[in-house]
Amino acid sequence: MATYVHRFADGGKDDKDLLGGKGANLAEMVKIGLPVPPGFTITTEACRAYMRDGVVPPELRVEVTMAVREIEDAFGRQLGDVRDPLLVSVRSGAKFSMPGMMETVLNVGLNDASVRGLAEMAGDERFAWDSYRRLVQMFGRTVLGLDGDLFADALDTLKAERGVTSDVDLTADDLRGLVATYKALVLEHSGREFPQHPREQLDMAIEAVLDSWNTDRARLYRRRERIPDALGTAVNVCTMVFGNLGEDSGTGVCFTRDPATGHSGVYGDYLPNAQGEDVVAGIRNTFPLAHLEELDPTSYRELLAAMRKLETHYRDLCDIEFTIERGKLWLLQTRVGKRTAAAAFRVATQLVDEHLITLDEAISRTTGEQLTQLMFPQFDRSGETTLLTRAMAASPGAAVGEIVLDNAQAEARAAEGASVILVRRETNPDDLPGMVVAAGVLTARGGKTSHAAVVARGMGICAVVGADKLDVDLTAREVRVDGQVLRPGDVIAIDGSTGEVFLGEVPVMDSPVMRYLSDGLDAGLAAAPDDATRELVVAVDRILEHADSVRTMEVRANADSADDALRARARGAQGIGLCRTEHQFLGERRHFVEAVVLAESDEEREAALADLLPLQRGDFVGLLEAMDGLPTTIRLIDPPLHEFLPDLTELSVKVALAERDGGADPRDVKILGAVRRMHEQNPMLGLRGVRLGLKIPGLFALQIRAVAEATVELRERGFDPRPEIMVPLVGSVREMHLVREEALGILTEIGRGSGHLLDLPVGCMIELPRAALTAHRIAEEADFFSFGTNDLTQTTWGMSRDDVEGAFFHDYLDNGVLTISPFETIDALGVGALVRVGVEGGRSTKPELKIGVCGEHGGDPESIRFFQGAGLDYVSCSPFRVPVARLEAARAAVEAGGDATL
Amino acid sequence: MATYVHRFADGGKDDKDLLGGKGANLAEMVKIGLPVPPGFTITTEACRAYMRDGVVPPELRVEVTMAVREIEDAFGRQLGDVRDPLLVSVRSGAKFSMPGMMETVLNVGLNDASVRGLAEMAGDERFAWDSYRRLVQMFGRTVLGLDGDLFADALDTLKAERGVTSDVDLTADDLRGLVATYKALVLEHSGREFPQHPREQLDMAIEAVLDSWNTDRARLYRRRERIPDALGTAVNVCTMVFGNLGEDSGTGVCFTRDPATGHSGVYGDYLPNAQGEDVVAGIRNTFPLAHLEELDPTSYRELLAAMRKLETHYRDLCDIEFTIERGKLWLLQTRVGKRTAAAAFRVATQLVDEHLITLDEAISRTTGEQLTQLMFPQFDRSGETTLLTRAMAASPGAAVGEIVLDNAQAEARAAEGASVILVRRETNPDDLPGMVVAAGVLTARGGKTSHAAVVARGMGICAVVGADKLDVDLTAREVRVDGQVLRPGDVIAIDGSTGEVFLGEVPVMDSPVMRYLSDGLDAGLAAAPDDATRELVVAVDRILEHADSVRTMEVRANADSADDALRARARGAQGIGLCRTEHQFLGERRHFVEAVVLAESDEEREAALADLLPLQRGDFVGLLEAMDGLPTTIRLIDPPLHEFLPDLTELSVKVALAERDGGADPRDVKILGAVRRMHEQNPMLGLRGVRLGLKIPGLFALQIRAVAEATVELRERGFDPRPEIMVPLVGSVREMHLVREEALGILTEIGRGSGHLLDLPVGCMIELPRAALTAHRIAEEADFFSFGTNDLTQTTWGMSRDDVEGAFFHDYLDNGVLTISPFETIDALGVGALVRVGVEGGRSTKPELKIGVCGEHGGDPESIRFFQGAGLDYVSCSPFRVPVARLEAARAAVEAGGDATL
C-alpha cells in the first residue's frame, strides 16, 4: 500500500516529485530545526491515483485521520473544538510552481460552534467572525464552485449599508451577519448547507485542491510551460497561525539577498497585526524588514538566524514567508528565490566569494536567457519619464519611435528614415511588412506566445503585448490609454524587458554588459553608471571566463560578412560555423545570377560566372582575414532557384498589363518565360543546394575556386586562413562524392599552381532526414558534418517554417500539439532522434568526425543542452547569441559532468 | 594467396559471384558431364584486385600459364604451334548479364606462322586467313582501342576492288592481303606492331576485357540496372572450336522450350558450316533445329540428350549455344533462358505438371512485371498492318490516335473527343498538359528513363521512345519517317509493349488475361483466340490462386469510388486501403468547399458543411456497399488548401486586367483576397491533412459523421460495412488524440441514436518522418497504421515529386545519384529505414497493430518485397495493380520462407 500522507518531518527538499515544491521545502525546514507549524503533505501519488480512478483513494482518508490526530495531540487543539479549535490551511503544491493556477482554502475547521472558541482563545470576536466569513467565502468559491462575485457583492452591499468603505470598519456583529448572508448564498446557489463538520470541510477542501490540478487554465498553463499533466499536485495541510492577533503579531516576506538588484544583505517587508492576504491585497503599507527589529527584537534575531541557516543550507538566495503569532515566529514557506538577471549574476559570484558554491555551480545558477536580458539596449532612466501603461514584456529591448497603425504607414515613415513602433490591437501574418520595418511592436491583446510576441522574438525586435488599457481605434485612427489620446506620429518608448510603455522620447543606451561583451572589460566598466552595475559586469566576466574553461563544445558564429565575423569574434566565437554565400549572390549582384540562371548557352553562363569570381574571392578574403587562425565554414550556394528570380505572380500581372497597353518589355517577357519554366510548386523541396550545384555546371566550381584563391592570397600575405567547404542539402553519399571530387580537383590544381598545399576540409550539412539516416555512408565522403536543424525540422515535421508560423502555429499552441515552435527549441523526440542517428552513423564510420550544428537552434539554451547530450563538437549561432551559447554550453557540460550540482 | 584462375571443372552454377554467370554455367556443364571445350575462368576477384591496384596481379600471370599448359596437354595442341595451333577465345562474363556492354576477342593464338598450321590442320587456307583477319580486326578495335571503321572501310575497299559484294566471295589470297593491310593499319594508328607472340596476345586480351568493365557505357548501364560497380567481371578463356570447317560442322542456338510462346518441346536454329558470328550477322538464313537431325543424326541426338539433361538439372527453360566441329558436338554456353511474359507463365505451370518444380517455385519464376504485360490492351494482329518503324517499348499498352505535335493541338483535339498521340522529338515538363490528354506518346529520342518514358509510365499511358527514324519537324509541322510524310490528324497506332509504330488504325482489344482478371476464368477463356492463349489464361489462374494461398500480406486497393472499388474487388482486392475523400470535394462540389474555405462566419461555414453531409454520405454508402464485408479505409480530407482555390497567378492577372478595363468581378476580388491570404510558399509543407482538420471546425466531423451515418444505413439494409477512419499527415500523438476523441464522440452519439455499436477503427497515415520516429507514442492513439510512402519519400529526401521529376531527375539519373525514381521503387536505405522504425515503434506499443502501406509503392514489385521484409500486414495499390501485388506478395512470402528456391 502506498503511503499517501507524509508528516512534514518525513522528507526533505529533494522529494519534490512526491511532496511538491512547497511540501518538500517545509519538510526541509523541519529537518533543520526551523519553526514550522505542524502539518502534513498529501503526496502527488495520491493525486495521480485520484486522477486515474476518479475517486479519492480510501486509504487516504484513514491516513489523514491519523495525521490530523497527531497534530491535534502535538498542538493540544482539536479540529472543531468549541473552546480552542485547531484550524488548518489546505494548499496545493506541485513540483513546479504554477502561480495563481491552483486553489487554497484557509481556516478550515471553523463552524458555528468553534467560531466562538476561536473568539475566546483570541480574545477577539471580530477576528473570529472575520475568519469564519473568509472560510465560507473561500469554500463557496473554491470547493463548491460558486461565483466569487456573489460574496464580493454581498460584502459591498453590507459596507454600503454601514456607510463604510473599508473592511476593517465592519464590526464583529456586521461580520456575524455577513456569515449568515454568506451561508444563505451557499444554500441558495449550491443547493446545500455550508458543511458544519470540520472533517467534511477538510475532505472537501482536499478534493477541491486535487480537482484544481485539472482545470482548463491549469492545463493550458502547464502545456505552455511544458509541465507534464501526469505529475499531479501535492496538498499541504498545515496548522493555521495568525499574524492578526494584535500588535505582537504580524506577517512578512523576506529574502536573504535583494532579488531585484542582487545586493548582499537581507531584504523584506513586514506588516504588524495582519495576515498574508492583507500583504497581497496591498490594503496597508508594509514596513521594511528592519522595522521588525524595533517592534520585536527577539523574533527579528530569530528570523535573521533562520535566514542565515536557510541560505547556508540551500547555498542560494532564499525567499521566506513568515508569521509572528503573539511573539512566536513561524516559517510558513521557503524556496530558492526568483531573481532578476542582474541579481542572478551578482548573487552567484557573491556566493562563490563566500565559498558557499563553486564556480561550476555559479554557472548553473545563471542562464543564457538572463544574460540575453542584460545584453539588450536599455532606457537611460536618469531623466524624467511618463509611464503610459505596463503590460507583458514579450521580446526584450528598448525602442523609441512614432506610432504607426498599419503596414502602409509603417513602410512610408520608415522609408523616410523615421523610427516607428507598430501599434495594433493584435497582429497576424498580414502585419509582417509593417513589423519588418518597425523598431518595436505594441499590442493591446495577446500573451507571450501571441503572433506579435513570437514573430518579434524571431526578428529580434522589441515587443510589449497584452496592454489591455490600450484602445486601438482604427476608424478614428487613434490610440486611447486611460483617457489620453495618441495619434500616428506621436512618439512613445517601449521596454520589451519590463513591459513598460512611456510617452515621448526616452534616451536609449547600450547596456554595459553588451559594451563589455563587444569591447572588453574596461569598456564595460567604463559604461557602468554605478557600483552595482560594475559588480555585475565583473560577475558576468568571471562567469563567462569560467564557462569557457569548462565547456566541451566549441561555440562558433553564423556570419556572412567580415563585419559580422569581427563582431562574433569579439564576443568569443571560436570560428564561423556557417557563412551563407548566397547572400553575396542575392544582393547587388543579382543581375549576374540572373545571367547565370537565364544564360542561353554555355558561353554566356561561363562568362557570367567568370565575372563573379573576383567578387566572391574578395568576399572570402575579407571573411577569412577577419577569422585569421580560426575555422571558417563556407557553405556553397543553397537557396531555391526562385529566390534569384522575380515573383511569378507580380511579373505575370506586370507583363499582362503592359501587353494590354501595347507591348511588354521584351526582357520582362524573356524573364517571365524563365520564371514560368523554373517555377516550382514547393521550392523548399525543389532545385536547391547540392542539386543546383550538380545541375548548373561551374557554379560550385566558381565558389570553390574563390575560396581556394582567397586562401592562397591570404597565406601569401602572412595570414593563417582556415576555410572549410560545406555542401548543402546532401541526401546521398553519391552527391557528396561528386562535389568532393570536383572540389579536390580544383584545390589540387590551384595548390599546384600556387605552391601551397590546399588540404581544406570538405564536409556537408545534415539537414534532410535521409542524410541523417544514411550518415554512416555519407561520412565516407565528408570531413565534417554540420546539422542544419531548420531544414531538418521542416522535413521531419513536413512543415515549412513560414507556413507553420503563418497558418496554424497558434491553433497548434492552443490545442496543445505544440508548446513552443519546433524552430525555436529543437524537437528532441522527432528531430532530435535524427540528430542522434546522424551522429551515431557518422562516428561509426569515422570515430573522430567533427560534428556541429548551424541552425538557429545553435543559440537556444534548451537545444544547446540537447546537443551536448548528443555529443556534438560545436554549436554555431548568430553573433548576438555567442555569449549566450558560451554560457549555456558550459551549463550543459557541468550538468553532464553530474557532480557539480547539489 | 587468392586463386585467381579456376579450371572449368572447379566450380558450379552457384559460383556466379566468383566466376560470373557464363563461367559458373560452363563449370556446371562440365560437372554434369556435358562436352565443353577445355578452358578456365579468371575470377572476379582478379578483376577487383586489378581495379584496386591498377595492374594485373602478378600471381595471375603464373596461374594463367599453368592453366594454359593444362589445356595444351589435354587438347594436344599448343598456343602458337606452327603446325596445329591451339586457339582460344577470351570473353567477359559478369555475375549479371550486361549484353553488348563488354568485350570479346576470338582466335587468340594466330600469328604469321600459326596461320599456316591452322590452314593445314583445317585443310582450308581461306578459313585460316579469314580467322587471322578477324583476330587482327577484333584485337585492333578491342585491345588497342582503334576505330572499328578503319577495318570496315579497308574491307569495303577490297570488296570494291574485287567487284564483289559479300565477304564469302573473297579468296584466300584476298584475305591474306587484307591481313597485311590490317596489320599496317594497326602499326599506323596504334604506333605498334600487331603482337605476334600468342601469350602477349592472350595477356593483352585479358587486360582489355578487364578494362571493359569500367568503360563509361558499362558504368552507365550498371547504374541504370543497379548492378554494383564493385562486383567486377570474370574472364573466360576457352579453346576455340570451329563450326565452319565444312559441311560436317556448324553452329546453333537452342532452347529447351519456345521462349517466345512457351510451347513445350525444343526449339532452335542451326547453320551448317558457320561460326556464331555468322548467325548473329544474319548473312545466311538459319534452319530450324530439326534440320540437324537430317544432317547429323548422332550430334542431334546428343544435343537433345544434353538439352534434356540441362533442363532437368536446372529445372527450368535453358538456352544453349553449341558448335559442331567435324561431327563433334561442343556446348559453348548455357543459361536459364530469357522468355516472354506468356512463356514465363506457361513454362512455369508446365514444369509443375512435369513435377520438376513446386507451385511455390512456379510463383518465383513469374513476375508482376510479366503479369502487367499480359494485362495491357493489345492490338488485334489478325488483319493487315503497316509498320512504320520499331523503337523502344517504354510504357506498355496499345494506343491509336491522331498525331498531335504540341500541347495546344493535343488539348484542342482531345476536347473535341479525339484520341490523340503526342509526337515529339523528346518531351520535357512543358509537355505535361499534352501528355495528360494523350492516349500515347511517341518520341524520336531518349531511352527507357527519358522524361517521356518515366512520365508515361507514371500516368499509365502507352509510350514508344527513341524512334530515331522519326524526323519531327515543327517548322514544317510534319513528321517524316523513311521518306513518308505524316501530318497532324493522320492516324497512327503505337504498341508500348513491343515498340512498334503502325500507320493507320489497328483494332485494339482487351487482353484475355485482363478479361480473366476482371470477369473470371470463363470470360478469359472465351476471349482467348487460340489454345496457347487458353493455356496461358489457365496458367495465370493457377499461379494467382496459389499465390493467394501462400502470401502472408493482404492486398487492398486504393479506390475513391464505388466503380473503382468493384473493379478492384473483381481483381482480388481484399479491401480498400485508401479512399481519398478529397476527390469528392474537388469535383463538381468545389463550390461548396469554396464556401467552406471562404466562409466569413461560423454560420456560413456550418451551413455549407451541412449541405455537404448528404453528398459525402451518399459517396460512402456506394463505396461501402461495393466493399460489403471487407475493410474499407477512408482517409479524411488531405490535400493542401490551395488545391481548393483558384491559381493565384492566373487570378491576379485576371483581376488586374479586369480592373484596367473598368472593374473586376467583386466575387473574384473577394476570392483573390482569400487566395492571397492563404497562399503558401510550400503548400506540401503547409496547411493540409490533420492540420486543416484541426483548424477548420466541423470539417473532419462532417466526414466522420458521413461515414457513421452511411454505416448505419447499410447495416439497416442488411449489409456488413467495415469502414476504417484514417487521419492523414499526423506528426504527433496529440494530433491523433484530438481527432480520435472527436471521432469517438461522434461515433458514440450516432451509435446511441441509431442503436448500432459503431466501434470503427480509427488509425492514421505514417507519412512524415516524425510520425515514424514517434510511432511508439502515436500507436497509443491509433488502431492501425498505413504508411504513405509518397509523402514519406518527399520529406525524407526533401524533394517534392513534381519538382524532382521536372527539374533534376534526369541529371540525377545521369550522374548516378538516383538509379530509379524513389517514388517508383522505395528507397530502402533512407525511407525504408523510417518504415522499419515506424513498424518497430508501433508494435512495441501494440504488438498486434495492423500496419499497411497505401502509397504507390504498394504496387511496385521490389517495394512489395521490402514491405514483406518490414513485416507489414497489407499493401494497397491501384485497382489495376492488384493482381500484380497478389503475385509479388506471394513471391516475397516464398522468398522469405527461404527453402522453396534452388
Side-chain angles (χ1 to χ4, degrees), chain A residues 660-661 734-735 807 812, chain B residues 660-661 695 735 770 812 815:
Chain A
R660 175 69 53 100
D661 292 346
R734 181 146 178 99
E735 290 169 323
Y812 265 41
Chain B
R660 175 68 54 99
D661 292 345
K695 187 176 170 93
E735 290 169 324
R770 195 174 194 280
Y812 265 40
N815 64 29

Side-chain angles (χ1 to χ4, degrees), chain B residues 37 73 117 207 218 247 253 258 275 283 358 367 382 393 422 462 494 521 650 689-690 767 779 813 824 868 873 877:
Chain B
D73 294 349
E207 201 161 334
E247 287 306 312
V253 174
D258 185 340
Q275 272 193 302
I283 297 169
T358 64
T367 68
S382 55
L422 182 66
C462 138
I494 62 175
L521 187 57
E650 277 173 25
V690 68
E767 53 186 335
L813 282 178
E824 206 170 324
Q868 173 87 29
D873 296 306
C877 56

Side-chain angles (χ1 to χ4, degrees), chain A residues 553-556 558 576-578 633 724 726 763-767 783-789 792 826 835-836 838-839 843 848-855 857-858 866-868 870-877:
Chain A
M553 287 195 297
E554 263 178 44
V555 173
R556 298 191 186 179
N558 302 342
I576 299 298
L578 174 63
T633 309
E724 305 181 336
M726 183 156 73
C764 65
M765 302 280 291
I766 301 289
E767 53 187 334
D783 297 323
F784 62 87
F785 280 176
S786 179
F787 282 96
T789 49
L792 195 60
I826 192 163
V835 170
R836 289 185 191 279
V839 171
R843 297 244 171 92
E848 302 299 320
L849 189 71
K850 186 132 188 162
I851 306 182
V853 57
C854 63
H857 294 122
F866 174 84
F867 296 131
Q868 172 88 29
L872 262 49
D873 296 306
Y874 68 86
V875 296
S876 187
C877 57

Side-chain angles (χ1 to χ4, degrees), chain B residues 371-695:
Chain B
L371 182 57
T372 311
Q373 285 170 30
L374 299 174
M375 288 162 64
F376 279 102
Q378 50 200 41
F379 287 128
D380 178 358
R381 288 154 190 274
S382 55
E384 194 91 344
T385 57
T386 312
L387 186 68
L388 272 176
T389 186
R390 183 190 291 271
M392 219 172 295
S395 178
V400 181
E402 292 181 14
I403 292 176
V404 290
L405 296 177
D406 55 35
N407 289 340
Q409 222 167 37
E411 291 176 313
R413 288 299 294 144
E416 288 161 31
S419 171
V420 300
I421 293 187
L422 182 66
V423 182
R424 303 283 295 172
R425 198 164 305 162
E426 59 206 335
T427 66
N428 64 45
D430 293 341
D431 298 315
L432 274 176
M435 295 179 77
V436 167
V437 299
V441 179
L442 171 62
T443 69
R445 299 202 195 142
K448 287 208 170 188
T449 54
S450 64
H451 179 268
V454 171
V455 173
R457 281 200 299 272
M459 300 196 310
I461 63 171
C462 138
V464 172
V465 301
D468 47 19
K469 292 218 176 125
L470 227 62
D471 182 5
V472 182
D473 185 338
L474 287 178
T475 315
R477 304 212 52 85
E478 61 186 36
V479 179
R480 291 179 294 270
V481 199
D482 276 340
Q484 195 149 6
V485 177
L486 304 174
R487 295 207 170 71
D490 291 348
V491 171
I492 58 173
I494 62 175
D495 187 327
S497 309
T498 64
E500 289 161 305
V501 181
F502 300 101
L503 181 62
E505 293 269 0
V506 182
V508 175
M509 56 182 207
D510 261 3
S511 85
V513 168
M514 194 57 169
R515 286 297 307 280
Y516 151 69
L517 290 169
S518 305
D519 303 319
L521 187 57
D522 290 344
L525 291 174
D530 51 33
D531 282 347
T533 311
R534 276 186 286 276
E535 189 191 320
L536 170 63
V537 169
V538 171
V540 171
D541 177 57
R542 286 174 67 186
I543 284 184
L544 281 181
E545 195 178 320
H546 186 66
D548 288 343
S549 77
V550 299
R551 68 186 155 82
T552 56
M553 288 195 297
E554 263 179 43
V555 174
R556 299 190 185 179
N558 302 341
D560 306 341
S561 67
D563 281 353
D564 277 355
L566 286 171
R567 202 168 297 129
R569 188 170 192 157
R571 292 179 194 156
Q574 295 163 285
I576 299 297
L578 173 64
C579 164
R580 277 174 287 248
T581 55
E582 57 271 14
H583 289 193
Q584 301 161 346
F585 275 72
L586 282 168
E588 42 173 346
R589 296 159 203 174
R590 183 175 183 128
H591 55 286
F592 281 103
V593 178
E594 283 193 14
V596 170
V597 173
L598 299 176
E600 289 185 340
S601 68
D602 288 353
E603 293 69 34
E604 270 183 54
R605 188 179 52 248
E606 279 159 24
L609 286 173
D611 284 348
L612 268 170
L613 179 62
L615 299 169
Q616 281 254 307
R617 186 176 52 223
D619 290 328
F620 295 144
V621 166
L623 186 76
L624 291 167
E625 185 175 338
M627 295 308 292
D628 185 37
L630 294 180
T632 305
T633 310
I634 294 170
R635 182 179 69 183
L636 302 178
I637 194 162
D638 177 54
L641 207 47
H642 80 278
E643 289 194 17
F644 298 113
L645 295 169
D647 179 75
L648 171 62
T649 299
E650 277 173 25
L651 191 59
S652 297
V653 169
K654 181 180 174 194
V655 168
L657 290 176
E659 274 171 359
R660 175 68 54 99
D661 292 345
D665 182 342
R667 181 171 158 78
D668 282 346
V669 173
K670 181 179 164 191
I671 293 177
L672 180 58
V675 173
R676 273 208 196 112
R677 203 164 51 244
M678 294 175 178
H679 182 67
E680 294 180 311
Q681 279 300 322
N682 294 279
M684 199 59 83
L685 303 177
L687 186 56
R688 46 180 291 231
V690 68
R691 301 165 191 167
L692 192 64
L694 291 176
K695 187 176 170 93

Side-chain angles (χ1 to χ4, degrees), chain A residues 96-111:
Chain A
F96 301 104
S97 170
M98 293 171 55
M101 283 300 131
M102 284 155 50
E103 302 296 359
T104 289
V105 189
L106 302 178
N107 300 338
V108 169
L110 278 177
N111 55 20

